[in-house]
Amino acid sequence: MERRDFLKRTGLTLGFLVAPGGLLRVVDAHACGEEGDVDLNAWVHISNSENTITVKCPTAEMGQGNYTAIPLLVAEELDADWRTIRVEQAPAEKAYANPDDFNVQGVGGTRATQGYWRTVRLAGAQARAILILNAAREWGVSPAECNTEPNNVVHAAAGRKMSYMEVAKLDNVTLDASLITEKHLKPSSQWRLIGRDARRLDVPLKVTGQARYGIDVQIPGMLYASILRPPVAALPQPLYGDGAENGPMKVDSAEALKIEGVVKVVELPHAVAVVGTDYWATVLGKRALKVEWRNGSLASQYDSEAKKREWATLAADRALKGRTFGNAGDFDAAFKTAAQTLSADYVTDHAHHACMEPFNATASMMHNDMELWSPTQGQTWAQQVCAKVTGLTEDKIRVHTTFLGGGFGAKTEQLPNAETAMLSKIMDKAVKVIWSREDDIKHGAYRPLAAQHLDAAIAADGRVLGWSHRVVADSVLARVRKTAWDQNPAIDSAVAVGMTQPYGIPNRHHEFVHQASGVPVGYWNAVGSGYTIFAVESFVDEVAAKLGKDPLQLRIDLLTDTRGKAVLERVRKLSDWSRPHDGMAMGVAYNHGGRGHGQIAQVVEVSVNRSSGAIRVHNVWAVADSGAVLQPRHLRQQLETGIIWGVSAALREQVTIKDGVVRQSSFNDYPVPRMDEIPEIHIELLQGGPELLSGAGQLGVAPMAPAIANAVYRLTGARLRALPMLPERMKLALGVMQGLGKQRIDSAT
């Protein structure tokens, strides 16, 4: 096709690549194949026939709002009319990699808007510059004389206006505009879209049922597969070729093959797959299999209850050295000379993601190409693992990212994609793998079990002079980035995040002691801070109790960060912190947001049923400062979901493992909150400034557990130092309190 004809027929497509220096350069749009068959690497597509502007979203949409937030940043700098914006999921290509997240295309850790903040705004600004250049050429004027208003290029001196769609129809459209840099981006005073509520683009699709999740994918003639896995908890990493140590040793498939609809039984290195013409046939076939398994992994010896006791002992043993980071002063000297000291131990069980949509994926391999439909959080990783198990090169793997029915870090895992890729290659047909709920819960990548020991050194005048925090846990990075970890073992940033507390204590010691468990541990919603902030913020309250100080005021006194002080001062007023309570009590916790530097303070109001031991959260007041607020309503939604997640993890969610076997199997024994159990949530937003940007997806999760535990102590006098705070643990604490004549107790686990 001639370029002129191509542009007329397909609209104007503007593509960008990130140069080594980080600046965007225009790349030529190109057409492939027959007329109308177009393969584009682009952020912005303007269609004059549909009167729309399509923006590519590089990350998965799993309810967190990226499908709206990232295109909104493009639209802001493009000066687009939001009503004409449409979104398409970007393919898996290097041009869409997140520069702030290992330079891969994926999403997690609240890094989406932070990572793409600069790149996509530059893309929008470059697109705007190209539109101005072409309109100016048509008018025979300098681009410097032109400006834009939503969806229009304007030449005010002559009173002329040309819509973006009209620019797309011009002959000889050039993409060779001057290079855009950060100095060309809009100042915050000119923002039209950022900071205001825009309609979420995924919501109409979900309300009308048009949104397609991975579980919805249907390919003509495709087969289904259910997979029987070993009883031992195992989630192999196919990139590293592991899993065979627990794989099948002897398979009797005779009964399975008799079931109508079962086509084939396939032995995989780590499991046995039953392939059939419908899903239910494969489920019945899976149940009919008789398999003898190898039992060669460390996980087969794992007992989570025993590990908690063992690791708690290790956490308190300062002779066992780990990896230190973020230290200051001389804690040992401060502790030895302190007028008072305080120590406490905290333990947390494994927790799971329990996404509403279990793992699934669909692959179709034809000759030397493969298409993958997957609700994945990591398109780059999906390409890599499919290439690994099929022998194809990564550029031959085309990834279609569907909507995700929950992710929470679970869907960074790539085993489902590997399974469907292997089976499609073997069957020479499209194959859809669906994990059952039991598969999902018994074979997850769980939040690590952790034991923590904290010490404080207090001067005679009540000043906190020393703080030590040791965490004993398995490593997420040692599993998911095994090669890099083996080459350079270091602090696990996923596991240890949140340990470096923000309080202005001069002598600080932080230490991570790695213990390999063999059980798969992985990313989770606020994975490390889910337990480190529990320990830090509970221990701050213990220090306050020892000093006889108000715990909220002590935090304000200790903090050096003005933004942190501000959210605490505001939540004190919002919650009416000092008011009297009837049968309830309040607790407070603060989260400095770790890597993202967001700030949040939360106050909860709880009651305790002393006969059943059940803890109920009635109210949550939260004040957050996450820097620039892209969309206020959206941010509140993010914080609300984090708070609900935090309540659930604090009170209910527990995975227990005996001899390597997970005891939970579905929502009957891995419960999550029902609607009538959700507290009233009151949120107020502060803004730290337009140039500050932090993620909000995980910000509200971590403070919930310590706030609840602190409220329980103020109500009952019992300290809960174990997560989750199950009714039986609460009853044990109350029983111990009664046995001690209601004296202060050290722990109730």
Side-chain angles (χ1 to χ4, degrees):
M1 293 176 66
E2 292 292 331
R3 179 169 180 76
R4 180 180 307 176
D5 293 334
F6 163 71
L7 289 171
K8 284 182 177 179
R9 295 179 184 182
T10 65
L12 178 59
T13 302
L14 309 173
F16 305 89
L17 292 177
V18 181
L23 301 178
L24 289 168
R25 295 190 176 278
V26 181
V27 296
D28 228 14
H30 60 280
C32 298
E34 300 177 1
E35 186 174 315
D37 181 10
V38 183
D39 181 13
L40 300 172
N41 175 21
W43 287 96
V44 180
H45 179 80
I46 299 176
S47 171
N48 52 70
S49 60
E50 297 181 357
N51 200 40
T52 59
I53 300 173
T54 300
V55 178
K56 291 291 177 68
C57 179
T59 67
E61 172 58 64
M62 48 188 174
Q64 82 281 41
N66 288 346
Y67 199 76
T68 299
I70 292 176
L72 182 136
L73 297 177
V74 176
E76 179 67 83
E77 297 294 342
L78 178 61
D79 212 4
D81 184 337
W82 187 247
R83 295 170 297 180
T84 64
I85 294 292
R86 301 292 181 270
V87 181
E88 286 183 0
Q89 203 72 53
E93 293 185 9
K94 290 181 179 179
Y96 298 111
N98 186 334
D100 196 33
D101 196 4
F102 306 122
N103 203 33
V104 298
Q105 189 177 353
V107 61
T110 71
R111 297 180 183 183
T113 52
Q114 290 181 85
Y116 287 102
W117 169 256
R118 178 175 174 272
T119 298
V120 299
R121 290 172 66 209
L122 286 169
Q126 188 75 19
R128 177 177 174 270
I130 292 170
L131 293 165
I132 290 175
L133 172 64
N134 283 277
R137 287 181 59 186
E138 180 71 11
W139 291 328
V141 300
S142 167
E145 298 177 31
C146 301
N147 210 327
T148 58
E149 60 185 38
N151 274 23
N152 289 280
V153 181
V154 178
H155 184 219
R160 287 182 288 198
K161 182 186 296 187
M162 186 182 300
S163 75
Y164 290 171
M165 288 67 183
E166 290 173 316
V167 176
K169 290 190 293 185
L170 294 176
D171 289 342
N172 299 317
V173 171
T174 179
L175 304 181
D176 193 21
S178 300
L179 185 66
I180 292 295
T181 64
E182 287 189 74
K183 70 179 182 181
H184 297 98
L185 298 178
K186 288 183 182 181
S188 58
S189 60
Q190 294 180 16
W191 288 344
R192 290 188 305 103
L193 300 173
I194 297 174
R196 295 170 175 80
D197 288 319
R199 62 181 176 88
R200 279 188 57 159
L201 301 179
D202 57 323
V203 169
L205 301 175
K206 293 171 179 176
V207 170
T208 59
Q210 297 176 70
R212 187 165 75 158
Y213 294 82
I215 205 79
D216 298 324
V217 173
Q218 297 288 326
I219 307 298
M222 75 178 186
L223 299 172
Y224 294 82
S226 292
I227 298 179
L228 182 66
R229 307 172 192 285
V232 170
L235 192 65
Q237 284 284 83
L239 272 178
Y240 306 124
D242 59 3
E245 65 272 13
N246 289 319
M249 188 166 57
K250 183 179 179 181
V251 179
D252 181 350
S253 58
E255 294 302 315
L257 291 170
K258 293 178 183 178
I259 295 171
E260 183 179 357
V262 171
V263 174
K264 191 170 185 175
V265 173
V266 180
E267 291 187 37
L268 300 173
H270 66 288
V272 182
V274 178
V275 183
T277 55
D278 66 90
Y279 174 65
W280 186 240
T282 68
V283 171
L284 295 177
K286 173 181 167 182
R287 293 175 181 174
L289 289 173
K290 298 176 182 177
V291 180
E292 292 182 23
W293 301 96
R294 296 181 181 89
N295 203 17
S297 73
L298 180 62
S300 62
Q301 306 165 33
Y302 186 83
D303 183 321
S304 56
E305 289 300 310
K307 280 299 176 193
K308 278 191 294 186
R309 294 190 294 270
E310 176 189 336
W311 289 2
T313 300
L314 296 178
D317 182 6
R318 295 289 298 275
L320 178 64
K321 300 300 181 184
R323 298 160 190 172
T324 60
F325 62 104
N327 294 350
D330 187 340
F331 169 77
D332 288 338
F335 196 73
K336 288 176 183 176
T337 59
Q340 298 182 80
T341 62
L342 185 65
S343 301
D345 297 286
Y346 300 87
V347 293
T348 49
D349 285 305
H350 291 291
H352 188 42
H353 312 83
C355 305
M356 285 294 102
E357 179 190 26
F359 281 131
N360 65 87
T362 306
S364 178
M365 184 171 175
M366 301 291 290
H367 307 297
N368 292 320
D369 294 276
M370 173 170 283
E371 292 196 74
L372 174 73
W373 292 263
S374 176
T376 180
Q377 287 182 238
Q379 294 91 332
T380 298
W381 300 317
Q383 271 189 323
Q384 290 171 345
V385 77
C386 289
K388 172 81 172 180
V389 300
T390 61
L392 299 175
T393 55
E394 290 178 26
D395 62 306
K396 297 297 184 180
I397 311 293
R398 186 180 178 191
V399 179
H400 305 274
T401 308
T402 65
F403 283 110
L404 279 66
F408 317 118
K411 289 172 185 172
T412 59
E413 298 291 338
Q414 299 302 319
L415 184 58
N417 296 326
E419 291 170 340
T420 190
M422 287 188 284
L423 291 171
S424 179
K425 181 179 180 179
I426 291 168
M427 302 303 298
D428 198 26
K429 281 189 175 183
V431 176
K432 182 176 187 175
V433 169
I434 301 176
W435 288 39
S436 68
R437 177 64 60 193
E438 291 76 12
D439 289 335
D440 179 69
I441 290 181
K442 285 188 170 294
H443 297 282
Y446 309 105
R447 184 185 71 185
L449 182 148
Q452 303 177 77
H453 180 84
L454 284 87
D455 297 298
I458 303 170
D461 60 2
R463 288 179 299 129
V464 184
L465 296 179
W467 179 284
S468 173
H469 187 171
R470 282 166 52 89
V471 172
V472 177
D474 203 344
S475 168
V476 172
L477 296 184
R479 176 178 165 271
V480 301
R481 303 188 71 211
K482 183 177 183 297
T483 302
W485 177 268
D486 289 345
Q487 292 171 351
N488 184 27
I491 293 298
D492 188 321
S493 56
V495 170
V497 63
M499 286 181 68
T500 51
Q501 43 74 31
Y503 301 108
I505 299 170
N507 301 290
R508 303 186 299 275
H509 179 87
H510 310 95
E511 193 168 0
F512 166 55
V513 180
H514 175 221
Q515 294 289 297
S517 68
V519 168
V521 295
Y523 295 116
W524 187 81
N525 193 4
V527 53
S529 59
Y531 49 81
T532 59
I533 297 297
F534 168 62
V536 168
E537 289 297 299
S538 295
F539 197 53
V540 171
D541 257 51
E542 297 205 41
V543 171
K546 191 171 186 69
L547 296 174
K549 292 188 176 182
D550 177 90
L552 196 155
Q553 185 60 50
L554 178 63
R555 287 171 170 80
I556 295 172
D557 294 341
L558 290 174
L559 275 174
T560 57
D561 189 303
T562 56
R563 293 170 65 201
K565 289 177 181 285
V567 295
L568 281 161
E569 291 280 13
R570 185 58 196 158
V571 83
R572 172 158 57 187
K573 184 175 181 179
L574 186 67
S575 64
D576 195 7
W577 170 254
S578 299
R579 66 180 168 85
H581 299 268
D582 183 16
M584 293 190 286
M586 284 181 169
V588 64
Y590 166 73
N591 182 12
H592 60 106
R595 178 183 178 279
H597 306 298
Q599 315 282 325
I600 191 167
Q602 292 174 187
V603 169
V604 304
E605 186 176 48
V606 308
S607 64
V608 175
N609 185 319
R610 292 176 180 267
S611 60
S612 69
I615 301 168
R616 172 111 191 190
V617 182
H618 298 272
N619 282 283
V620 179
W621 294 270
V623 176
D625 176 355
S626 61
V629 178
L630 271 63
Q631 299 171 274
R633 183 174 59 220
H634 180 190
L635 176 55
R636 286 189 177 91
Q637 291 169 348
Q638 285 281 77
L639 295 173
E640 286 171 357
T641 59
I643 287 167
I644 294 168
W645 181 280
V647 171
S648 181
L651 299 181
R652 290 191 168 191
E653 298 189 38
Q654 178 192 42
V655 169
T656 55
I657 302 173
K658 178 72 172 177
D659 297 326
V661 179
V662 174
R663 292 183 168 184
Q664 289 71 32
S665 62
S666 193
F667 288 125
N668 64 305
D669 50 13
Y670 192 86
V672 295
R674 306 290 180 174
M675 290 180 68
D676 63 349
E677 298 171 302
I678 303 304
E680 292 291 326
I681 301 174
H682 318 270
I683 293 175
E684 188 169 302
L685 305 178
L686 306 180
Q687 294 207 44
E691 299 309 315
L692 292 169
L693 192 72
S694 67
Q698 300 181 358
L699 190 62
V701 176
M704 287 309 303
I708 294 168
N710 293 336
V712 167
Y713 174 75
R714 297 182 84 194
L715 182 63
T716 68
R719 286 282 180 200
L720 294 176
R721 295 199 183 103
L723 290 182
M725 292 173 267
L726 301 172
E728 54 265 33
R729 290 175 172 170
M730 186 71 253
K731 288 175 71 175
L732 172 62
L734 292 171
V736 172
M737 287 295 296
Q738 292 169 358
L740 294 178
K742 297 192 176 181
Q743 297 175 24
R744 181 184 178 279
I745 61 172
D746 286 331
S747 68
T749 62

